[in-house]
Amino acid sequence: PVLLLHGDDDCIVPCTMSAKIHEFSNDCTKLKLFMGADHCLAYLVENELYESTVLDFLKQFDVLKEYISTVEV
């Protein structure tokens, strides 16, 4: 699974690049655009939405369950 998080105001890597990756990928790829976010600043622009997007993605593919089962307490 691949999660693409991209700001639509990215002046270094155009968000169209992530859109192309998503377009040509399988169903295990999700693209989330963050309006008003420049390069690497999506979290600062919408931190709650960023966190919920990541957590939802991890839950969708049971990544958290696999990770938690490998962590020693």
Side-chain angles (χ1 to χ4, degrees):
V2 176
L3 176 58
L4 302 162
L5 304 168
H6 212 123
D8 73 332
D9 281 345
D10 192 328
C11 61
I12 296 173
V13 179
C15 62
T16 55
M17 295 179 97
S18 286
K20 286 285 185 192
I21 292 170
H22 179 63
E23 179 183 346
F24 293 106
S25 297
N26 60 26
D27 292 337
C28 291
T29 302
K30 179 176 180 171
L31 170 63
K32 179 64 180 171
L33 293 177
F34 291 85
M35 301 303 131
D38 198 351
H39 190 72
C40 295
L41 298 178
Y43 183 80
L44 297 178
V45 171
E46 294 192 65
N47 62 328
E48 290 179 11
L49 178 59
Y50 190 102
E51 289 177 2
S52 67
T53 300
V54 171
L55 285 174
D56 290 346
F57 182 80
L58 294 175
K59 288 175 186 175
Q60 179 182 356
F61 293 100
D62 288 328
V63 174
L64 291 176
K65 183 170 62 175
E66 290 177 21
Y67 173 74
I68 290 171
S69 69
T70 64
V71 175
E72 293 184 30
V73 180

